[in-house]
Amino acid sequence: AQFTAIAFDLLCLLGLWLVGFRFGGTTLAATLAFAWAAYPFTQYASNSNTNDSIMPAFLIWGFWLVTSPAGRGVFAALSGWTKFAALIVAPLWATYPNGRPSARYVAAFTAATLVVFCVVLLEPSPLHELRVFWDRTVSWQVGRPSPWSLWDWGQYRARGIPDLRILQHLLQALLIAAALVFPFYPRRKSPLQLAALTAALLAGFQLVLTYWLYTYIPWFFGFAAIALFSHRKAEQLDAVRAPSVVAVDHDALDPDPAFGGLEPNR
């Protein structure tokens, strides 16, 4: 567990360096890498030997391959089946950059999902194993109590402590609506907008969770850092061009100056 926590913490750091170098050169690369290393909550996750750096590591590396629909699809699937929270950004990533779902993204996401779940074929009864998987993940998490969560205060039934479940459900509905709207609005997105919307959805998912820990913050921090530290660079650029070392999504090569966003470093 300690090795895994440290390894994926370093993979997040390296991934942010690569993202920064691609979209802003060495200055942004150093800034993003240092931001991850210096942020207290990434250290908490690493020191606690948790698995909470695995999910953002896959998403960060998928963002590095943002102009490759297949790359986005594979890493989005690996991230989503590591922590279900990442599935909320799957539609957003599927429609980048022009608001139209990518067939290559869907195919890559599906293929990666099949590879992930093929482990159940090692058991005598795969269907039984899938049921166990459901019971010990989704079913268990949905009903998981949390004595320190304001959303679960109603369990104490004490005078003066409100039951906020209705408000929680309303906010959850708004989050789902955002996850369905963001893939299509704005229709054309820059990498900077994709990073900001990804951070917003992941942070929003945490806000409406009943069971929450501070080690979850690294889920969205990398994309928040990209959005916060890259904005000045993005204002000076008006197109997205894929470097030759990454598979080119020709839909992303939009000559429209209004497309905006970060330009990959050559």
Side-chain angles (χ1 to χ4, degrees), residues 65-89:
L65 300 175
V66 68
T67 51
S68 168
R72 293 198 313 272
V74 167
F75 281 104
L78 294 177
S79 181
W81 298 122
T82 301
K83 293 283 186 179
F84 295 145
L87 295 176
I88 199 168
V89 305

mmCIF file of all heavy atoms in Angstrom, residues 65-89:
data_model
loop_
_atom_site.group_PDB
_atom_site.id
_atom_site.type_symbol
_atom_site.label_atom_id
_atom_site.label_comp_id
_atom_site.label_asym_id
_atom_site.label_seq_id
_atom_site.Cartn_x
_atom_site.Cartn_y
_atom_site.Cartn_z
ATOM 1 N N LEU A 65 -2.751 13.539 -23.103
ATOM 2 C CA LEU A 65 -3.076 13.038 -24.442
ATOM 3 C C LEU A 65 -4.421 13.582 -24.914
ATOM 4 O O LEU A 65 -5.165 12.888 -25.613
ATOM 5 C CB LEU A 65 -3.120 11.503 -24.421
ATOM 6 C CG LEU A 65 -1.832 10.800 -24.008
ATOM 7 C CD1 LEU A 65 -2.059 9.303 -23.903
ATOM 8 C CD2 LEU A 65 -0.700 11.099 -24.985
ATOM 9 N N VAL A 66 -4.718 14.818 -24.554
ATOM 10 C CA VAL A 66 -6.059 15.358 -24.766
ATOM 11 C C VAL A 66 -6.474 15.379 -26.235
ATOM 12 O O VAL A 66 -7.652 15.263 -26.552
ATOM 13 C CB VAL A 66 -6.149 16.782 -24.155
ATOM 14 C CG1 VAL A 66 -5.289 17.774 -24.922
ATOM 15 C CG2 VAL A 66 -7.593 17.251 -24.081
ATOM 16 N N THR A 67 -5.528 15.518 -27.151
ATOM 17 C CA THR A 67 -5.887 15.554 -28.570
ATOM 18 C C THR A 67 -6.057 14.162 -29.162
ATOM 19 O O THR A 67 -6.354 14.037 -30.349
ATOM 20 C CB THR A 67 -4.823 16.313 -29.376
ATOM 21 O OG1 THR A 67 -3.530 15.784 -29.071
ATOM 22 C CG2 THR A 67 -4.857 17.797 -29.047
ATOM 23 N N SER A 68 -5.886 13.119 -28.371
ATOM 24 C CA SER A 68 -6.085 11.746 -28.823
ATOM 25 C C SER A 68 -7.360 11.199 -28.195
ATOM 26 O O SER A 68 -7.390 10.918 -26.993
ATOM 27 C CB SER A 68 -4.897 10.864 -28.426
ATOM 28 O OG SER A 68 -5.196 9.501 -28.622
ATOM 29 N N PRO A 69 -8.444 11.034 -28.955
ATOM 30 C CA PRO A 69 -9.681 10.482 -28.382
ATOM 31 C C PRO A 69 -9.473 9.116 -27.743
ATOM 32 O O PRO A 69 -10.045 8.823 -26.689
ATOM 33 C CB PRO A 69 -10.617 10.406 -29.587
ATOM 34 C CG PRO A 69 -10.093 11.411 -30.555
ATOM 35 C CD PRO A 69 -8.616 11.406 -30.373
ATOM 36 N N ALA A 70 -8.659 8.266 -28.382
ATOM 37 C CA ALA A 70 -8.405 6.938 -27.817
ATOM 38 C C ALA A 70 -7.666 7.043 -26.487
ATOM 39 O O ALA A 70 -7.979 6.328 -25.528
ATOM 40 C CB ALA A 70 -7.607 6.092 -28.808
ATOM 41 N N GLY A 71 -6.685 7.932 -26.419
ATOM 42 C CA GLY A 71 -5.957 8.122 -25.173
ATOM 43 C C GLY A 71 -6.868 8.619 -24.060
ATOM 44 O O GLY A 71 -6.806 8.127 -22.932
ATOM 45 N N ARG A 72 -7.723 9.598 -24.377
ATOM 46 C CA ARG A 72 -8.672 10.088 -23.378
ATOM 47 C C ARG A 72 -9.594 8.971 -22.919
ATOM 48 O O ARG A 72 -9.894 8.831 -21.730
ATOM 49 C CB ARG A 72 -9.515 11.234 -23.951
ATOM 50 C CG ARG A 72 -8.765 12.500 -24.260
ATOM 51 C CD ARG A 72 -9.705 13.701 -24.390
ATOM 52 N NE ARG A 72 -10.865 13.447 -25.232
ATOM 53 C CZ ARG A 72 -10.905 13.628 -26.553
ATOM 54 N NH1 ARG A 72 -9.816 14.046 -27.179
ATOM 55 N NH2 ARG A 72 -12.015 13.405 -27.246
ATOM 56 N N GLY A 73 -10.070 8.150 -23.856
ATOM 57 C CA GLY A 73 -11.016 7.096 -23.520
ATOM 58 C C GLY A 73 -10.408 6.045 -22.614
ATOM 59 O O GLY A 73 -11.031 5.622 -21.626
ATOM 60 N N VAL A 74 -9.189 5.614 -22.922
ATOM 61 C CA VAL A 74 -8.528 4.581 -22.111
ATOM 62 C C VAL A 74 -8.301 5.081 -20.691
ATOM 63 O O VAL A 74 -8.649 4.408 -19.705
ATOM 64 C CB VAL A 74 -7.193 4.160 -22.756
ATOM 65 C CG1 VAL A 74 -6.368 3.328 -21.771
ATOM 66 C CG2 VAL A 74 -7.452 3.367 -24.026
ATOM 67 N N PHE A 75 -7.736 6.271 -20.557
ATOM 68 C CA PHE A 75 -7.411 6.763 -19.220
ATOM 69 C C PHE A 75 -8.658 7.167 -18.440
ATOM 70 O O PHE A 75 -8.679 7.045 -17.201
ATOM 71 C CB PHE A 75 -6.427 7.922 -19.315
ATOM 72 C CG PHE A 75 -5.013 7.478 -19.543
ATOM 73 C CD1 PHE A 75 -4.418 7.597 -20.789
ATOM 74 C CD2 PHE A 75 -4.276 6.920 -18.513
ATOM 75 C CE1 PHE A 75 -3.119 7.170 -21.004
ATOM 76 C CE2 PHE A 75 -2.971 6.498 -18.705
ATOM 77 C CZ PHE A 75 -2.382 6.615 -19.961
ATOM 78 N N ALA A 76 -9.694 7.641 -19.131
ATOM 79 C CA ALA A 76 -10.942 7.951 -18.427
ATOM 80 C C ALA A 76 -11.566 6.681 -17.866
ATOM 81 O O ALA A 76 -12.100 6.674 -16.745
ATOM 82 C CB ALA A 76 -11.917 8.641 -19.378
ATOM 83 N N ALA A 77 -11.511 5.589 -18.617
ATOM 84 C CA ALA A 77 -12.058 4.320 -18.134
ATOM 85 C C ALA A 77 -11.247 3.791 -16.952
ATOM 86 O O ALA A 77 -11.811 3.380 -15.930
ATOM 87 C CB ALA A 77 -12.077 3.293 -19.268
ATOM 88 N N LEU A 78 -9.911 3.799 -17.067
ATOM 89 C CA LEU A 78 -9.072 3.317 -15.967
ATOM 90 C C LEU A 78 -9.308 4.143 -14.700
ATOM 91 O O LEU A 78 -9.364 3.599 -13.588
ATOM 92 C CB LEU A 78 -7.601 3.383 -16.371
ATOM 93 C CG LEU A 78 -7.160 2.450 -17.502
ATOM 94 C CD1 LEU A 78 -5.694 2.679 -17.844
ATOM 95 C CD2 LEU A 78 -7.398 0.992 -17.127
ATOM 96 N N SER A 79 -9.468 5.443 -14.879
ATOM 97 C CA SER A 79 -9.726 6.304 -13.732
ATOM 98 C C SER A 79 -11.104 6.031 -13.139
ATOM 99 O O SER A 79 -11.261 5.924 -11.916
ATOM 100 C CB SER A 79 -9.614 7.771 -14.148
ATOM 101 O OG SER A 79 -9.836 8.622 -13.048
ATOM 102 N N GLY A 80 -12.103 5.898 -14.003
ATOM 103 C CA GLY A 80 -13.472 5.697 -13.531
ATOM 104 C C GLY A 80 -13.668 4.393 -12.799
ATOM 105 O O GLY A 80 -14.443 4.315 -11.831
ATOM 106 N N TRP A 81 -12.970 3.344 -13.223
ATOM 107 C CA TRP A 81 -13.133 2.047 -12.549
ATOM 108 C C TRP A 81 -12.178 1.906 -11.373
ATOM 109 O O TRP A 81 -12.207 0.898 -10.666
ATOM 110 C CB TRP A 81 -12.963 0.909 -13.545
ATOM 111 C CG TRP A 81 -13.998 0.960 -14.622
ATOM 112 C CD1 TRP A 81 -13.784 1.039 -15.967
ATOM 113 C CD2 TRP A 81 -15.418 0.979 -14.445
ATOM 114 N NE1 TRP A 81 -14.979 1.103 -16.642
ATOM 115 C CE2 TRP A 81 -15.995 1.072 -15.720
ATOM 116 C CE3 TRP A 81 -16.261 0.936 -13.336
ATOM 117 C CZ2 TRP A 81 -17.376 1.105 -15.925
ATOM 118 C CZ3 TRP A 81 -17.638 0.976 -13.528
ATOM 119 C CH2 TRP A 81 -18.176 1.060 -14.800
ATOM 120 N N THR A 82 -11.336 2.912 -11.142
ATOM 121 C CA THR A 82 -10.553 2.981 -9.914
ATOM 122 C C THR A 82 -11.351 3.690 -8.830
ATOM 123 O O THR A 82 -11.456 3.214 -7.701
ATOM 124 C CB THR A 82 -9.235 3.738 -10.146
ATOM 125 O OG1 THR A 82 -8.477 3.067 -11.151
ATOM 126 C CG2 THR A 82 -8.418 3.814 -8.876
ATOM 127 N N LYS A 83 -11.907 4.845 -9.188
ATOM 128 C CA LYS A 83 -12.809 5.587 -8.309
ATOM 129 C C LYS A 83 -14.004 6.024 -9.150
ATOM 130 O O LYS A 83 -13.844 6.729 -10.151
ATOM 131 C CB LYS A 83 -12.113 6.831 -7.728
ATOM 132 C CG LYS A 83 -10.977 6.554 -6.767
ATOM 133 C CD LYS A 83 -11.485 6.144 -5.398
ATOM 134 C CE LYS A 83 -10.348 6.020 -4.400
ATOM 135 N NZ LYS A 83 -10.818 5.636 -3.051
ATOM 136 N N PHE A 84 -15.197 5.629 -8.726
ATOM 137 C CA PHE A 84 -16.387 5.899 -9.533
ATOM 138 C C PHE A 84 -16.602 7.385 -9.789
ATOM 139 O O PHE A 84 -17.269 7.766 -10.750
ATOM 140 C CB PHE A 84 -17.633 5.329 -8.852
ATOM 141 C CG PHE A 84 -17.632 3.830 -8.754
ATOM 142 C CD1 PHE A 84 -18.192 3.199 -7.655
ATOM 143 C CD2 PHE A 84 -17.076 3.055 -9.751
ATOM 144 C CE1 PHE A 84 -18.195 1.815 -7.566
ATOM 145 C CE2 PHE A 84 -17.078 1.679 -9.670
ATOM 146 C CZ PHE A 84 -17.636 1.052 -8.569
ATOM 147 N N ALA A 85 -16.068 8.244 -8.922
ATOM 148 C CA ALA A 85 -16.256 9.690 -9.082
ATOM 149 C C ALA A 85 -15.792 10.165 -10.448
ATOM 150 O O ALA A 85 -16.374 11.091 -11.026
ATOM 151 C CB ALA A 85 -15.517 10.448 -7.989
ATOM 152 N N ALA A 86 -14.758 9.534 -10.996
ATOM 153 C CA ALA A 86 -14.215 9.980 -12.280
ATOM 154 C C ALA A 86 -15.176 9.737 -13.427
ATOM 155 O O ALA A 86 -15.059 10.375 -14.483
ATOM 156 C CB ALA A 86 -12.889 9.275 -12.563
ATOM 157 N N LEU A 87 -16.144 8.850 -13.261
ATOM 158 C CA LEU A 87 -17.109 8.584 -14.333
ATOM 159 C C LEU A 87 -17.953 9.816 -14.649
ATOM 160 O O LEU A 87 -18.522 9.915 -15.738
ATOM 161 C CB LEU A 87 -18.015 7.413 -13.954
ATOM 162 C CG LEU A 87 -17.325 6.049 -13.807
ATOM 163 C CD1 LEU A 87 -18.330 4.997 -13.342
ATOM 164 C CD2 LEU A 87 -16.680 5.623 -15.125
ATOM 165 N N ILE A 88 -18.019 10.757 -13.705
ATOM 166 C CA ILE A 88 -18.848 11.932 -13.944
ATOM 167 C C ILE A 88 -18.261 12.828 -15.031
ATOM 168 O O ILE A 88 -18.968 13.635 -15.635
ATOM 169 C CB ILE A 88 -19.048 12.730 -12.637
ATOM 170 C CG1 ILE A 88 -20.257 13.645 -12.755
ATOM 171 C CG2 ILE A 88 -17.802 13.532 -12.279
ATOM 172 C CD1 ILE A 88 -20.711 14.248 -11.444
ATOM 173 N N VAL A 89 -16.967 12.706 -15.317
ATOM 174 C CA VAL A 89 -16.353 13.523 -16.372
ATOM 175 C C VAL A 89 -16.260 12.769 -17.695
ATOM 176 O O VAL A 89 -15.816 13.344 -18.687
ATOM 177 C CB VAL A 89 -14.953 14.024 -15.961
ATOM 178 C CG1 VAL A 89 -15.018 14.781 -14.641
ATOM 179 C CG2 VAL A 89 -13.953 12.885 -15.877
#
